[in-house]
Amino acid sequence: MAKNSDRRTEPVRLRELLQAPPGEGVDLALYDADATPAGPGDKAAGLAATAAMAAPLAGLQERLYAAATAGDRRRLLLVLQGMDTSGKGGTIKHVIGHFNPSGCRIKAFKAPTPEERDHHFLWRIMRELPHSGEIGIFDRSHYEDVLIARVRGLAPRERIRRRYGEINGFERALAEDGVTFVKVFLHISYEEQRKRLLRRLDNPDKHWKFQPDDIEARELWPAYRKAYELALKRCSTADAPWYIVPADRKWYRNWAVSRLLLEHLEELDPQYPGTDLDLERYRKMLLEGA
Amino acid sequence: MAKNSDRRTEPVRLRELLQAPPGEGVDLALYDADATPAGPGDKAAGLAATAAMAAPLAGLQERLYAAATAGDRRRLLLVLQGMDTSGKGGTIKHVIGHFNPSGCRIKAFKAPTPEERDHHFLWRIMRELPHSGEIGIFDRSHYEDVLIARVRGLAPRERIRRRYGEINGFERALAEDGVTFVKVFLHISYEEQRKRLLRRLDNPDKHWKFQPDDIEARELWPAYRKAYELALKRCSTADAPWYIVPADRKWYRNWAVSRLLLEHLEELDPQYPGTDLDLERYRKMLLEGA
C-alpha cells in the first residue's frame, strides 16, 4: 500500500513515445500521420499548450547560451526532415520563433553546389554546426545524402551504403563533444500532401512555392518512404535517436516539436554561470560616480 | 480652399524624423536619450503599437523572400550600434522575433580574430551580408573599426581616417546592388547605462553578462561619443543614412526600430512572383490521383 501511494503520476515523456527504437526496422505504414500521441485534446488546447512552452523554452535557451560563456560546450541541434510540404519551414517559423533569434543558427540545405559536391558529403554539414550555447536548426541535412541520393541514384549504391555508418560515427563524435541531437522526421500522409499542394495551387500568394517537381516526386513516394525507413532504422542510435512526429495536423506537429525541445533542454538543465569578480567593488564604483 | 481640403494628414515618417542629416555635424548632447519622438503616448500604447506591427512586418518579409526566388535582388540590412547596455541584443530579441527566423541572417561581431585582423576590415563584413530576400541583422558591424578602433587607437589614425570613405563606397556599392540599409544608433544616456549596469550586478541571472571592462569603458564615454558623432556625420549618406534612436526607454526603442523597418519594407513593396506554369494542368494531375 505504501508502495502504491508513493508512486507519482509521471507525465509522459514524448521522446520515449515518438522515438524510432534504435536498431529496429520501421514500417511507416504502421504510423498514423494524423495521430496526436500524448497530445492535447484538440487544436485550441494544442495552440494554448504550445504557447505556454514559449517562456520556458526561451528561459532554457538563455541559460544554455549563458553557460557557454563560462566554458560549457553543450549545444542542441534540431534536424528536420520530411517529404515536401511536411512543414519543415512552418515548424521553424512557429517553434523556433519562440527563441531569441540571436542564439539560433538556422541552415536550409539545398541541392549541393559544385564546391560542396567536390567534398565529402559531411563537409558542408560540419561548417554549419551550432557553436556552444547555440540552438542549431537544419532544414534538411546530411540525411539528404541517403534519401534523395538513394532515390535518384545520385551516388553509387555502395557509397550510399557506407554513409549510414559514417553518419553514425559523425553524430556520435559530435554527441561526445556536447551536441544534443533532436532529429525529427515530419511524417505526413500521401493524401495530406495532395491537399497541401492543391492549396498552393489555389492561392496566388503561394504560387512561388510551387514546383512541378513537387508532383513528379509523388510518383517516387514509395521509394522515398523506403529510403526514410532505412535511415530511421540504421541511424536512430542511442547517441542521436530519430523521432517520428505525425505531421498531418500542424498544431500537433508544433506542439510535439516544442515538447521534444523542452524535454531535451530540461534534461540538459544548463545553469547561469557564477562569477569570481568582486561585484561589490564594481557596484561601489558605479554608485560613487563611475 | 479646395487645395486645403485636398491635403491628407500624412502620418509622420519616422525615418525623416530620426535621420542624421547627411553631411551635417551631430552633437549628441542635443539629442535626448529619454525622448519618444512621434511615439505612442506611453509604454502600454507603445507595446500595443509594436505588437500590431508584427503581422505586417512578417507579411512583408515573406514577400521579400518570395520575390527573391524570382530574381529580385533586394534585401535589407539592419545595423545596430550603440554603447554597452544600449540594447542591441534586446532589440534583436524583440524586433527580429516578429520575423520568420529562416529569412533572417544575424551576426554579432566580436573583437576580430587573428584571421580577420589579417584582412582588410571589410573582409569579415562581406562574408556575413544577407542574401537576396533576406533580412540581415548586424549586432555591431564595420563601424567598430571607426569607433573602438579610434578610441583605443587600434590602428594608425591615418588609416582610420581613410575608413570613413571606404565605408561610404562599400555601402553605396551594396545599395546599388539591392541592399537597403537601416543603420540604427541606439542612443542611451550615461545615467541610464549606470542604472542598467547596477541592475546586472543586482541580478545573479545577469552576472554572466557583466564585464569589468563595462565600467572601465565609462571613463572613455566622451571619446566614444565623439567617435559616434564623427561616424554619424561622415557616414550618414543618402544611400545609407544613420538613424538616431533614443533608447533609454526600451519600449520606445523597440517601437521605433520596428517602425523604421516597416517604413523601409513598405517602400520596397516586394511582390509575390507570378508563375508561367500551367497550374490548371497540375491541379488536374493532383485531383486525378497523382
Side-chain angles (χ1 to χ4, degrees):
Chain A
M1 205 178 100
K3 253 185 184 171
N4 250 331
S5 62
D6 272 1
R7 275 188 204 148
R8 307 248 178 93
T9 320
E10 283 286 326
V12 178
R13 285 186 18 143
L14 196 65
R15 48 191 293 191
E16 279 154 24
L17 206 63
L18 299 185
Q19 194 179 125
E24 289 179 30
V26 173
D27 179 355
L28 284 173
L30 302 178
Y31 289 80
D32 181 2
D34 190 44
T36 60
D42 57 20
K43 183 174 172 178
L47 295 178
T50 305
M53 281 186 271
L57 282 170
L60 284 158
Q61 180 202 14
E62 184 171 274
R63 278 159 50 190
L64 186 71
Y65 189 88
T69 65
D72 190 330
R73 290 184 64 80
R74 293 179 300 170
R75 60 207 81 186
L76 186 145
L77 177 56
L78 174 67
V79 174
L80 292 169
Q81 289 284 166
M83 304 284 200
D84 285 336
T85 77
S86 62
K88 299 181 287 292
T91 302
I92 294 175
K93 184 169 149 187
H94 289 98
V95 176
I96 302 306
H98 295 320
F99 290 117
N100 182 338
S102 291
C104 296
R105 189 173 293 263
I106 302 175
K107 174 65 185 178
F109 289 97
K110 316 272 184 190
T113 65
E115 188 190 20
E116 289 169 350
R117 272 203 303 276
D118 186 50
H119 286 278
H120 185 268
F121 76 101
L122 293 173
W123 179 78
R124 65 175 186 161
I125 306 300
M126 201 60 119
R127 295 154 60 98
E128 304 292 345
L129 292 170
H131 295 208
S132 58
E134 289 183 340
I135 292 179
I137 302 98
F138 283 178
D139 175 346
R140 304 182 188 272
S141 66
H142 43 302
Y143 282 95
E144 291 297 312
D145 294 282
V146 293
L147 293 167
I148 189 172
R150 182 181 194 95
V151 172
R152 304 264 188 185
L154 304 180
R157 188 52 70 103
E158 184 45 40
R159 197 187 304 161
I160 290 174
R161 252 195 293 270
R162 269 204 312 273
R163 286 178 177 168
Y164 299 97
E166 290 171 4
I167 287 174
N168 290 342
F170 173 71
E171 293 180 352
R172 186 182 321 115
L174 291 175
E176 278 168 7
D177 194 41
V179 178
T180 292
F181 283 90
V182 182
K183 301 191 298 192
V184 169
F185 170 60
L186 297 175
H187 179 43
I188 59 160
S189 64
Y190 190 73
E191 264 315 302
E192 178 66 19
Q193 190 190 56
R194 182 200 315 278
K195 283 185 208 157
R196 292 185 186 184
L197 288 173
L198 281 169
R199 242 175 277 146
R200 275 189 194 172
L201 290 173
D202 290 340
N203 182 350
D205 289 357
K206 302 279 180 205
H207 286 171
W208 64 282
K209 286 191 180 182
F210 181 79
Q211 306 280 352
D213 190 50
D214 294 346
I215 290 182
E216 286 147 21
R218 282 172 65 78
E219 289 173 28
L220 298 169
W221 186 277
Y224 270 109
R225 192 164 70 176
K226 179 83 193 134
Y228 272 109
E229 287 173 348
L230 267 176
L232 292 168
K233 176 183 174 187
R234 298 199 185 160
C235 299
S236 194
T237 60
D239 294 314
W242 270 104
Y243 301 103
I244 300 171
V245 172
D248 273 7
R249 298 176 197 241
K250 293 178 184 175
W251 67 262
Y252 177 79
R253 172 200 79 197
N254 292 340
W255 174 84
V257 177
S258 301
R259 179 83 222 157
L260 286 171
L261 291 172
L262 188 62
E263 287 180 4
H264 282 85
L265 286 167
E266 282 179 346
E267 192 173 300
L268 288 177
D269 193 24
Q271 298 298 324
Y272 285 114
T275 179
D276 294 333
L277 297 170
D278 180 359
L279 299 178
E280 202 41 56
R281 180 176 149 239
Y282 294 109
R283 188 178 286 111
K284 246 190 196 151
M285 283 172 71
L286 280 169
L287 289 171
E288 286 168 6
Chain B
M1 205 180 100
K3 255 185 182 169
N4 251 331
S5 62
D6 273 0
R7 275 188 204 145
R8 306 248 178 92
T9 320
E10 283 286 326
V12 178
R13 285 185 14 135
L14 195 64
R15 48 191 292 191
E16 279 155 22
L17 205 63
L18 299 185
Q19 194 179 124
E24 289 180 30
V26 173
D27 179 355
L28 284 173
L30 302 178
Y31 289 81
D32 181 2
D34 190 44
T36 60
D42 58 19
K43 182 174 173 178
L47 295 179
T50 305
M53 281 187 270
L57 283 170
L60 284 158
Q61 180 202 15
E62 184 172 272
R63 278 160 51 191
L64 187 70
Y65 189 88
T69 65
D72 190 330
R73 289 184 64 80
R74 293 179 301 171
R75 60 207 81 185
L76 186 145
L77 177 56
L78 174 67
V79 174
L80 293 170
Q81 289 283 167
M83 305 281 202
D84 285 335
T85 78
S86 62
K88 298 181 289 292
T91 302
I92 294 176
K93 184 169 149 186
H94 288 98
V95 177
I96 302 305
H98 294 321
F99 291 117
N100 182 338
S102 290
C104 297
R105 190 173 291 264
I106 303 174
K107 174 66 185 177
F109 289 97
K110 315 275 184 187
T113 64
E115 188 190 20
E116 288 168 350
R117 272 202 305 275
D118 186 50
H119 287 278
H120 184 268
F121 76 101
L122 293 173
W123 179 79
R124 64 174 186 161
I125 305 300
M126 202 59 119
R127 296 155 58 97
E128 304 291 346
L129 291 169
H131 295 208
S132 59
E134 288 184 340
I135 293 180
I137 301 99
F138 283 178
D139 175 347
R140 305 182 186 273
S141 66
H142 41 304
Y143 283 94
E144 292 296 314
D145 295 282
V146 293
L147 294 167
I148 190 172
R150 182 180 193 95
V151 171
R152 303 265 188 185
L154 304 180
R157 187 52 71 103
E158 184 46 40
R159 197 188 304 163
I160 290 174
R161 252 195 292 269
R162 270 204 313 271
R163 287 178 177 168
Y164 300 97
E166 290 171 3
I167 287 175
N168 290 342
F170 173 71
E171 293 181 353
R172 186 183 321 114
L174 290 174
E176 280 168 5
D177 192 43
V179 178
T180 292
F181 282 90
V182 182
K183 301 190 299 191
V184 169
F185 169 60
L186 297 176
H187 179 43
I188 60 162
S189 64
Y190 190 74
E191 264 314 302
E192 178 65 19
Q193 190 190 57
R194 182 201 314 277
K195 283 185 208 158
R196 293 186 185 183
L197 288 173
L198 281 169
R199 242 175 278 145
R200 276 189 194 171
L201 290 173
D202 290 340
N203 182 350
D205 289 357
K206 302 278 180 205
H207 286 171
W208 64 281
K209 287 191 181 183
F210 181 80
Q211 307 279 353
D213 190 50
D214 295 344
I215 291 182
E216 286 146 21
R218 282 172 65 79
E219 288 173 29
L220 298 169
W221 186 278
Y224 270 108
R225 193 164 70 177
K226 179 84 193 133
Y228 271 109
E229 287 173 348
L230 267 175
L232 292 168
K233 176 183 174 187
R234 299 198 183 162
C235 299
S236 194
T237 61
D239 295 314
W242 269 106
Y243 302 102
I244 300 172
V245 171
D248 274 7
R249 298 176 197 240
K250 293 177 185 175
W251 67 262
Y252 177 79
R253 172 200 79 198
N254 291 340
W255 174 83
V257 177
S258 301
R259 180 83 222 158
L260 287 171
L261 291 172
L262 188 62
E263 287 180 6
H264 282 85
L265 286 168
E266 280 178 347
E267 193 174 300
L268 288 177
D269 193 23
Q271 298 298 323
Y272 286 114
T275 177
D276 294 333
L277 296 171
D278 179 359
L279 298 179
E280 202 41 57
R281 180 177 149 239
Y282 293 110
R283 190 180 283 110
K284 246 189 195 148
M285 284 172 70
L286 279 169
L287 289 171
E288 287 169 4

PDB file of all heavy atoms in Angstrom, chain A residues 256-275:
ATOM      1  N   ALA A 256       4.377  18.999 -30.627  1.00  0.00           N
ATOM      2  CA  ALA A 256       5.279  17.875 -30.391  1.00  0.00           C
ATOM      3  C   ALA A 256       6.747  18.299 -30.507  1.00  0.00           C
ATOM      4  O   ALA A 256       7.576  17.916 -29.677  1.00  0.00           O
ATOM      5  CB  ALA A 256       4.964  16.738 -31.361  1.00  0.00           C
ATOM      6  N   VAL A 257       7.076  19.105 -31.514  1.00  0.00           N
ATOM      7  CA  VAL A 257       8.479  19.517 -31.655  1.00  0.00           C
ATOM      8  C   VAL A 257       8.869  20.433 -30.488  1.00  0.00           C
ATOM      9  O   VAL A 257       9.964  20.323 -29.926  1.00  0.00           O
ATOM     10  CB  VAL A 257       8.731  20.196 -33.022  1.00  0.00           C
ATOM     11  CG1 VAL A 257      10.162  20.681 -33.123  1.00  0.00           C
ATOM     12  CG2 VAL A 257       8.428  19.221 -34.159  1.00  0.00           C
ATOM     13  N   SER A 258       7.954  21.323 -30.091  1.00  0.00           N
ATOM     14  CA  SER A 258       8.234  22.179 -28.925  1.00  0.00           C
ATOM     15  C   SER A 258       8.491  21.325 -27.689  1.00  0.00           C
ATOM     16  O   SER A 258       9.421  21.550 -26.920  1.00  0.00           O
ATOM     17  CB  SER A 258       7.052  23.114 -28.640  1.00  0.00           C
ATOM     18  OG  SER A 258       6.783  23.930 -29.752  1.00  0.00           O
ATOM     19  N   ARG A 259       7.634  20.336 -27.525  1.00  0.00           N
ATOM     20  CA  ARG A 259       7.717  19.457 -26.353  1.00  0.00           C
ATOM     21  C   ARG A 259       9.025  18.658 -26.366  1.00  0.00           C
ATOM     22  O   ARG A 259       9.684  18.501 -25.333  1.00  0.00           O
ATOM     23  CB  ARG A 259       6.499  18.535 -26.404  1.00  0.00           C
ATOM     24  CG  ARG A 259       6.347  17.520 -25.339  1.00  0.00           C
ATOM     25  CD  ARG A 259       5.716  18.090 -24.084  1.00  0.00           C
ATOM     26  NE  ARG A 259       6.434  17.540 -22.946  1.00  0.00           N
ATOM     27  CZ  ARG A 259       6.509  18.067 -21.741  1.00  0.00           C
ATOM     28  NH1 ARG A 259       5.878  19.195 -21.484  1.00  0.00           N
ATOM     29  NH2 ARG A 259       7.200  17.512 -20.795  1.00  0.00           N
ATOM     30  N   LEU A 260       9.429  18.164 -27.535  1.00  0.00           N
ATOM     31  CA  LEU A 260      10.694  17.422 -27.632  1.00  0.00           C
ATOM     32  C   LEU A 260      11.869  18.329 -27.270  1.00  0.00           C
ATOM     33  O   LEU A 260      12.790  17.928 -26.550  1.00  0.00           O
ATOM     34  CB  LEU A 260      10.884  16.866 -29.053  1.00  0.00           C
ATOM     35  CG  LEU A 260      10.012  15.658 -29.425  1.00  0.00           C
ATOM     36  CD1 LEU A 260      10.131  15.352 -30.923  1.00  0.00           C
ATOM     37  CD2 LEU A 260      10.403  14.423 -28.602  1.00  0.00           C
ATOM     38  N   LEU A 261      11.835  19.569 -27.769  1.00  0.00           N
ATOM     39  CA  LEU A 261      12.908  20.504 -27.444  1.00  0.00           C
ATOM     40  C   LEU A 261      12.932  20.786 -25.946  1.00  0.00           C
ATOM     41  O   LEU A 261      13.985  20.808 -25.312  1.00  0.00           O
ATOM     42  CB  LEU A 261      12.734  21.807 -28.237  1.00  0.00           C
ATOM     43  CG  LEU A 261      12.965  21.692 -29.745  1.00  0.00           C
ATOM     44  CD1 LEU A 261      12.565  22.985 -30.450  1.00  0.00           C
ATOM     45  CD2 LEU A 261      14.432  21.383 -30.043  1.00  0.00           C
ATOM     46  N   LEU A 262      11.736  20.985 -25.396  1.00  0.00           N
ATOM     47  CA  LEU A 262      11.648  21.281 -23.964  1.00  0.00           C
ATOM     48  C   LEU A 262      12.201  20.118 -23.135  1.00  0.00           C
ATOM     49  O   LEU A 262      12.989  20.324 -22.202  1.00  0.00           O
ATOM     50  CB  LEU A 262      10.192  21.573 -23.590  1.00  0.00           C
ATOM     51  CG  LEU A 262       9.939  22.085 -22.181  1.00  0.00           C
ATOM     52  CD1 LEU A 262      10.646  23.418 -21.956  1.00  0.00           C
ATOM     53  CD2 LEU A 262       8.437  22.244 -21.908  1.00  0.00           C
ATOM     54  N   GLU A 263      11.819  18.903 -23.475  1.00  0.00           N
ATOM     55  CA  GLU A 263      12.314  17.745 -22.715  1.00  0.00           C
ATOM     56  C   GLU A 263      13.831  17.644 -22.769  1.00  0.00           C
ATOM     57  O   GLU A 263      14.490  17.378 -21.766  1.00  0.00           O
ATOM     58  CB  GLU A 263      11.681  16.455 -23.255  1.00  0.00           C
ATOM     59  CG  GLU A 263      10.205  16.303 -22.888  1.00  0.00           C
ATOM     60  CD  GLU A 263       9.563  15.018 -23.409  1.00  0.00           C
ATOM     61  OE1 GLU A 263      10.289  14.181 -23.997  1.00  0.00           O
ATOM     62  OE2 GLU A 263       8.348  14.850 -23.224  1.00  0.00           O
ATOM     63  N   HIS A 264      14.399  17.870 -23.953  1.00  0.00           N
ATOM     64  CA  HIS A 264      15.856  17.776 -24.067  1.00  0.00           C
ATOM     65  C   HIS A 264      16.563  18.908 -23.326  1.00  0.00           C
ATOM     66  O   HIS A 264      17.578  18.688 -22.671  1.00  0.00           O
ATOM     67  CB  HIS A 264      16.278  17.757 -25.537  1.00  0.00           C
ATOM     68  CG  HIS A 264      16.070  16.429 -26.188  1.00  0.00           C
ATOM     69  ND1 HIS A 264      14.879  16.048 -26.741  1.00  0.00           N
ATOM     70  CD2 HIS A 264      16.911  15.361 -26.346  1.00  0.00           C
ATOM     71  CE1 HIS A 264      14.986  14.814 -27.233  1.00  0.00           C
ATOM     72  NE2 HIS A 264      16.209  14.379 -27.012  1.00  0.00           N
ATOM     73  N   LEU A 265      16.015  20.111 -23.447  1.00  0.00           N
ATOM     74  CA  LEU A 265      16.660  21.240 -22.757  1.00  0.00           C
ATOM     75  C   LEU A 265      16.533  21.102 -21.246  1.00  0.00           C
ATOM     76  O   LEU A 265      17.451  21.439 -20.505  1.00  0.00           O
ATOM     77  CB  LEU A 265      16.051  22.570 -23.240  1.00  0.00           C
ATOM     78  CG  LEU A 265      16.481  22.996 -24.651  1.00  0.00           C
ATOM     79  CD1 LEU A 265      15.601  24.125 -25.176  1.00  0.00           C
ATOM     80  CD2 LEU A 265      17.949  23.444 -24.640  1.00  0.00           C
ATOM     81  N   GLU A 266      15.387  20.609 -20.793  1.00  0.00           N
ATOM     82  CA  GLU A 266      15.228  20.396 -19.348  1.00  0.00           C
ATOM     83  C   GLU A 266      16.225  19.357 -18.852  1.00  0.00           C
ATOM     84  O   GLU A 266      16.777  19.483 -17.765  1.00  0.00           O
ATOM     85  CB  GLU A 266      13.795  19.972 -19.026  1.00  0.00           C
ATOM     86  CG  GLU A 266      12.831  21.155 -19.023  1.00  0.00           C
ATOM     87  CD  GLU A 266      11.384  20.757 -18.737  1.00  0.00           C
ATOM     88  OE1 GLU A 266      11.068  19.554 -18.802  1.00  0.00           O
ATOM     89  OE2 GLU A 266      10.575  21.660 -18.460  1.00  0.00           O
ATOM     90  N   GLU A 267      16.461  18.341 -19.648  1.00  0.00           N
ATOM     91  CA  GLU A 267      17.418  17.322 -19.227  1.00  0.00           C
ATOM     92  C   GLU A 267      18.833  17.900 -19.206  1.00  0.00           C
ATOM     93  O   GLU A 267      19.624  17.585 -18.320  1.00  0.00           O
ATOM     94  CB  GLU A 267      17.350  16.118 -20.157  1.00  0.00           C
ATOM     95  CG  GLU A 267      18.106  14.934 -19.582  1.00  0.00           C
ATOM     96  CD  GLU A 267      17.903  13.682 -20.421  1.00  0.00           C
ATOM     97  OE1 GLU A 267      16.728  13.266 -20.559  1.00  0.00           O
ATOM     98  OE2 GLU A 267      18.895  13.150 -20.937  1.00  0.00           O
ATOM     99  N   LEU A 268      19.140  18.762 -20.158  1.00  0.00           N
ATOM    100  CA  LEU A 268      20.456  19.409 -20.156  1.00  0.00           C
ATOM    101  C   LEU A 268      20.611  20.279 -18.917  1.00  0.00           C
ATOM    102  O   LEU A 268      21.677  20.408 -18.341  1.00  0.00           O
ATOM    103  CB  LEU A 268      20.640  20.271 -21.412  1.00  0.00           C
ATOM    104  CG  LEU A 268      20.849  19.535 -22.731  1.00  0.00           C
ATOM    105  CD1 LEU A 268      20.935  20.520 -23.885  1.00  0.00           C
ATOM    106  CD2 LEU A 268      22.143  18.711 -22.666  1.00  0.00           C
ATOM    107  N   ASP A 269      19.504  20.927 -18.531  1.00  0.00           N
ATOM    108  CA  ASP A 269      19.463  21.760 -17.333  1.00  0.00           C
ATOM    109  C   ASP A 269      20.653  22.720 -17.224  1.00  0.00           C
ATOM    110  O   ASP A 269      21.394  22.701 -16.230  1.00  0.00           O
ATOM    111  CB  ASP A 269      19.407  20.848 -16.090  1.00  0.00           C
ATOM    112  CG  ASP A 269      19.041  21.631 -14.830  1.00  0.00           C
ATOM    113  OD1 ASP A 269      18.416  22.706 -14.954  1.00  0.00           O
ATOM    114  OD2 ASP A 269      19.406  21.178 -13.728  1.00  0.00           O
ATOM    115  N   PRO A 270      20.869  23.550 -18.226  1.00  0.00           N
ATOM    116  CA  PRO A 270      22.007  24.476 -18.195  1.00  0.00           C
ATOM    117  C   PRO A 270      21.822  25.516 -17.080  1.00  0.00           C
ATOM    118  O   PRO A 270      20.696  25.847 -16.722  1.00  0.00           O
ATOM    119  CB  PRO A 270      21.964  25.141 -19.573  1.00  0.00           C
ATOM    120  CG  PRO A 270      20.547  25.013 -20.035  1.00  0.00           C
ATOM    121  CD  PRO A 270      20.002  23.767 -19.410  1.00  0.00           C
ATOM    122  N   GLN A 271      22.934  25.991 -16.565  1.00  0.00           N
ATOM    123  CA  GLN A 271      22.879  26.915 -15.424  1.00  0.00           C
ATOM    124  C   GLN A 271      23.577  28.233 -15.752  1.00  0.00           C
ATOM    125  O   GLN A 271      24.601  28.233 -16.431  1.00  0.00           O
ATOM    126  CB  GLN A 271      23.579  26.285 -14.213  1.00  0.00           C
ATOM    127  CG  GLN A 271      22.940  24.995 -13.712  1.00  0.00           C
ATOM    128  CD  GLN A 271      21.512  25.196 -13.219  1.00  0.00           C
ATOM    129  OE1 GLN A 271      21.204  26.229 -12.625  1.00  0.00           O
ATOM    130  NE2 GLN A 271      20.629  24.238 -13.493  1.00  0.00           N
ATOM    131  N   TYR A 272      23.021  29.318 -15.226  1.00  0.00           N
ATOM    132  CA  TYR A 272      23.730  30.599 -15.316  1.00  0.00           C
ATOM    133  C   TYR A 272      25.062  30.455 -14.598  1.00  0.00           C
ATOM    134  O   TYR A 272      25.109  29.956 -13.478  1.00  0.00           O
ATOM    135  CB  TYR A 272      22.918  31.712 -14.646  1.00  0.00           C
ATOM    136  CG  TYR A 272      21.735  32.164 -15.459  1.00  0.00           C
ATOM    137  CD1 TYR A 272      20.438  31.945 -15.006  1.00  0.00           C
ATOM    138  CD2 TYR A 272      21.913  32.801 -16.680  1.00  0.00           C
ATOM    139  CE1 TYR A 272      19.335  32.357 -15.749  1.00  0.00           C
ATOM    140  CE2 TYR A 272      20.820  33.207 -17.433  1.00  0.00           C
ATOM    141  CZ  TYR A 272      19.545  32.983 -16.967  1.00  0.00           C
ATOM    142  OH  TYR A 272      18.474  33.383 -17.717  1.00  0.00           O
ATOM    143  N   PRO A 273      26.143  30.885 -15.220  1.00  0.00           N
ATOM    144  CA  PRO A 273      27.435  30.768 -14.540  1.00  0.00           C
ATOM    145  C   PRO A 273      27.546  31.784 -13.404  1.00  0.00           C
ATOM    146  O   PRO A 273      26.936  32.850 -13.448  1.00  0.00           O
ATOM    147  CB  PRO A 273      28.441  31.073 -15.647  1.00  0.00           C
ATOM    148  CG  PRO A 273      27.694  31.801 -16.714  1.00  0.00           C
ATOM    149  CD  PRO A 273      26.238  31.497 -16.553  1.00  0.00           C
ATOM    150  N   GLY A 274      28.292  31.412 -12.406  1.00  0.00           N
ATOM    151  CA  GLY A 274      28.578  32.359 -11.338  1.00  0.00           C
ATOM    152  C   GLY A 274      29.714  33.280 -11.771  1.00  0.00           C
ATOM    153  O   GLY A 274      30.109  33.290 -12.931  1.00  0.00           O
ATOM    154  N   THR A 275      30.226  34.040 -10.861  1.00  0.00           N
ATOM    155  CA  THR A 275      31.332  34.950 -11.204  1.00  0.00           C
ATOM    156  C   THR A 275      32.317  35.009 -10.041  1.00  0.00           C
ATOM    157  O   THR A 275      31.936  34.865  -8.891  1.00  0.00           O
ATOM    158  CB  THR A 275      30.807  36.364 -11.516  1.00  0.00           C
ATOM    159  OG1 THR A 275      31.919  37.202 -11.816  1.00  0.00           O
ATOM    160  CG2 THR A 275      30.031  36.949 -10.346  1.00  0.00           C
TER     161      THR A 275
END
